[in-house]
């Protein structure tokens, strides 16, 4: 750079890419072929893959993508950085051979990725080593869901999770910080249900003093609908949301509040490693869940790997460093070599952030949830 003007020969590294440290993974020479069962240092198998397909979102939720950081001049990743649908499918196929049975598409807001239906169609072709279709789901803020539900279902999506932090329109608009109405999200949920993207799960992040007044109104609204409402403890994800412990309402309190009005009973998880703790209404009006990363860590059963939209592997939501798979995907490396690199990384995995969360971890430069998906 001379005189402040970039020379044509100089490659400008987009800020977003340089934001998070990463390095290409090691490719072990003598790796065994994928066996469909990969364990980490704590005996946790690789079962769930979260694929981020964009770092962009049309919301500015204050606990995830606050405007103060993600303002109009924020440098999002250029299109050329993003993994193509072919690259996303190739990486997913390699993970499925290692035992992944569930793929969740995330973002940012995944429905903003143009042609997402095409990607879903490609992923819907994947089969586990036992020949079973991979469980394909997606998390969305539902701004585009009413319009896209039919095409998503037709492309092969099985289920959907919708983020909705309040049923009160004013509180919801305050939390998404782009003045988006509740009614449009509810319309999206209805459209998804009508197309058979069931069960619809509804995620509400609870921030004490901001929207905890909405716990009972949300429970009242979704009781008897068949949709599964889950309450998520406010988490210290990333380094931008100003997280404070006194803004965390423990899941135990959430359950107590609901139980006082609508008696609840605990139910068993659907499978080991399931994130949400499940409760049913004793009067048969359905199910609710709580996700308690802060007060009831579930790291001991965490089976999730995350790949960012430009191909970085993270083995924990609260990671500070990733592993650059894109260099391998775009380099002259075979599937077996990439597979060996992933196996080697997972075998060495020991993440347990929620178990060690403390003042000492407060200053860590964790990756942003908007970049890696929840
Ligand atoms: S903190 Fe990390 S290791 Fe623990 S459950 Fe969350 S993603 Fe898994």
């Amino acid at each position: 750079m001379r005189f402040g003007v970039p020379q044509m020969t100089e490659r400008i590294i987009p800020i977003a890419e340089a934001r998070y440290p990463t390095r290409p993974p090691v490719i072990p020479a003598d790796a065994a072929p994928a066996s469909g069962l990969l364990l980490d240092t704590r005996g946790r198998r690789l079962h769930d893959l979260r694929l981020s397909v964009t770092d962009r979102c049309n919301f500015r939720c204050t606990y995830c993508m606050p405007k103060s950081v993600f303002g109009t001049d924020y440098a999002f990743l250029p299109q050329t950085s993003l993994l193509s649908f072919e690259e996303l499918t190739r990486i997913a196929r390699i993970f499925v051979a290692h035992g992944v049975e569930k793929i969740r598409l995330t973002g940012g807001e995944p429905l903003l990725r143009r042609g997402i239906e095409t990607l879903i169609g490609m992923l819907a072709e994947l089969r586990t080593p036992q020949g079973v279709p991979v469980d394909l789901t997606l998390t969305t803020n539902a701004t585009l869901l009413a319009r896209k539900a039919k095409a998503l279902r037709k492309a092969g999506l099985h289920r959907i999770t919708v983020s909705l932090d309040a049923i009160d329109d004013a509180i919801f608009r305050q939390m998404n910080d782009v003045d988006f109405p509740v009614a449009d999200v509810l319309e999206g949920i209805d459209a998804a249900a009508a197309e058979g993207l069931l069960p619809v799960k509804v995620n509400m992040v609870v921030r004490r003093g901001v929207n905890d007044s909405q716990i009972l109104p949300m429970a009242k609204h979704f009781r008897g609908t068949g949709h599964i409402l889950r309450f998520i403890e406010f988490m210290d994800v990333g380094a931008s949301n100003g997280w404070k412990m006194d803004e965390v309402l423990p899941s135990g309190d959430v359950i107590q509040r609901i139980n006082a009005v609508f008696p609840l009973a605990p139910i068993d998880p659907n499978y080991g490693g399931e994130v949400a703790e499940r409760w049913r209404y004793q009067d048969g009006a359905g199910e609710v869940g709580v996700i308690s990363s802060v007060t009831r860590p579930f790291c001991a059963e965490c089976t999730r790997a995350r790949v960012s939209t430009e191909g970085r592997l993270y083995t924990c939501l609260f990671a500070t460093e990733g592993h650059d798979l894109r260099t391998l995907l775009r380099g002259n490396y075979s599937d077996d070599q990439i597979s060996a690199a992933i196996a080697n990384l997972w075998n060495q995995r020991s993440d347990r952030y929620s178990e060690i969360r403390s003042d000492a971890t407060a200053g860590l430069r964790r990756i942003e949830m908007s970049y890696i998906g929840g």
Side-chain angles (χ1 to χ4, degrees):
M1 179 98 69
R2 268 178 293 146
F3 316 112
V5 179
Q7 303 303 300
M8 292 317 293
T9 54
E10 287 175 350
R11 180 173 172 275
I12 298 169
I13 299 177
I15 299 170
E17 278 197 2
R19 193 165 286 133
Y20 305 115
T22 187
R23 55 197 145 121
V26 172
I27 299 179
D30 56 350
S35 65
L37 181 60
L38 206 48
L39 301 178
D40 70 8
T41 61
R42 298 179 69 182
R44 299 170 293 186
R45 62 169 295 195
L46 174 53
H47 179 271
D48 301 55
L49 175 64
R50 299 194 172 187
L51 271 183
S52 172
V53 296
T54 179
D55 63 337
R56 296 166 191 260
C57 186
N58 49 3
F59 274 8
R60 288 292 177 273
C61 299
T62 50
Y63 57 81
C64 175
M65 218 175 187
K67 269 184 189 162
S68 54
V69 176
F70 299 89
T72 49
D73 58 353
Y74 183 82
F76 288 100
L77 289 162
Q79 190 66 26
T80 49
S81 290
L82 310 189
L83 295 189
S84 66
F85 293 166
E86 290 71 20
E87 289 168 330
L88 285 162
T89 305
R90 183 182 176 199
I91 208 73
R93 185 179 302 112
I94 293 170
F95 273 94
V96 170
H98 278 308
V100 162
E101 295 177 8
K102 179 177 163 185
I103 296 178
R104 177 175 296 281
L105 297 177
T106 66
E109 169 48 43
L111 298 186
L112 289 176
R113 178 83 186 247
R114 197 169 303 144
I116 183 106
E117 297 86 354
T118 305
L119 172 63
I120 290 170
M122 294 162 77
L123 296 172
E125 300 295 315
L126 297 178
R127 296 289 180 270
T128 67
Q130 297 74 33
V132 179
V134 171
D135 179 15
L136 203 46
T137 183
L138 179 149
T139 302
T140 175
N141 62 22
T143 47
L144 302 171
L145 187 53
R147 217 185 306 164
K148 283 185 171 277
K150 186 184 281 290
L152 294 171
R153 182 70 176 131
K154 190 157 172 277
L157 192 67
H158 298 146
R159 296 175 296 112
I160 206 148
T161 298
V162 171
S163 306
L164 179 63
D165 298 319
I167 201 73
D168 174 276
D169 201 49
I171 296 176
F172 181 58
R173 287 172 187 260
Q174 180 202 342
M175 291 198 75
N176 65 53
D177 208 10
V178 293
D179 216 24
F180 195 84
V182 166
D184 292 13
V185 174
L186 297 178
E187 191 194 338
I189 291 173
D190 292 345
E195 295 301 332
L197 291 167
L198 295 169
V200 175
K201 294 182 177 177
V202 179
N203 283 356
M204 172 183 172
V205 172
V206 180
R207 197 168 182 172
R208 191 202 292 267
V210 177
N211 67 335
D212 59 301
S213 63
Q214 291 296 291
I215 292 168
L216 273 171
M218 286 280 280
K220 274 191 190 123
H221 181 88
F222 287 106
R223 269 168 52 81
T225 62
H227 305 325
I228 301 174
L229 176 58
R230 292 112 58 90
F231 300 93
I232 303 178
E233 288 181 344
F234 176 39
M235 294 183 285
D236 51 337
V237 284
S240 309
N241 67 6
W243 184 83
K244 292 194 287 296
M245 188 61 199
D246 58 18
E247 288 191 314
V248 175
L249 185 76
S251 292
D253 294 30
V254 172
I255 294 297
Q256 269 178 19
R257 287 190 189 188
I258 299 172
N259 189 56
V261 181
F262 306 115
L264 294 168
I267 33 181
D268 294 335
N270 289 307
Y271 60 88
E274 186 172 22
V275 174
E277 209 181 285
R278 304 170 65 209
W279 294 78
R280 65 174 176 78
Y281 291 110
Q282 290 185 23
D283 64 1
E287 177 182 338
V288 292
V290 288
I291 298 175
S292 323
S293 164
V294 179
T295 62
R296 298 183 193 155
F298 38 81
C299 302
E301 292 191 297
C302 179
T303 58
R304 289 169 293 284
R306 293 171 166 86
V307 173
S308 69
T309 187
E310 89 281 30
R312 294 178 181 180
L313 170 60
Y314 295 92
T315 53
C316 175
L317 175 59
F318 300 89
T320 55
E321 186 172 359
H323 308 278
D324 177 13
L325 301 178
R326 187 184 63 193
T327 297
L328 305 185
L329 286 167
R330 293 185 179 174
N332 196 13
Y333 297 92
S334 68
D335 284 6
D336 287 349
Q337 288 176 308
I338 300 174
S339 174
I342 291 169
N344 186 44
L345 285 169
W346 191 264
N347 287 152
Q348 295 170 31
R349 177 189 186 233
S350 59
D351 298 281
R352 58 192 199 101
Y353 177 86
S354 287
E355 291 175 354
I356 59 169
R357 179 184 282 111
S358 67
D359 292 345
T361 60
L364 290 175
R365 186 133 179 61
R366 296 170 294 273
I367 49 167
E368 294 296 339
M369 184 165 73
S370 61
Y371 162 73
I372 199 68

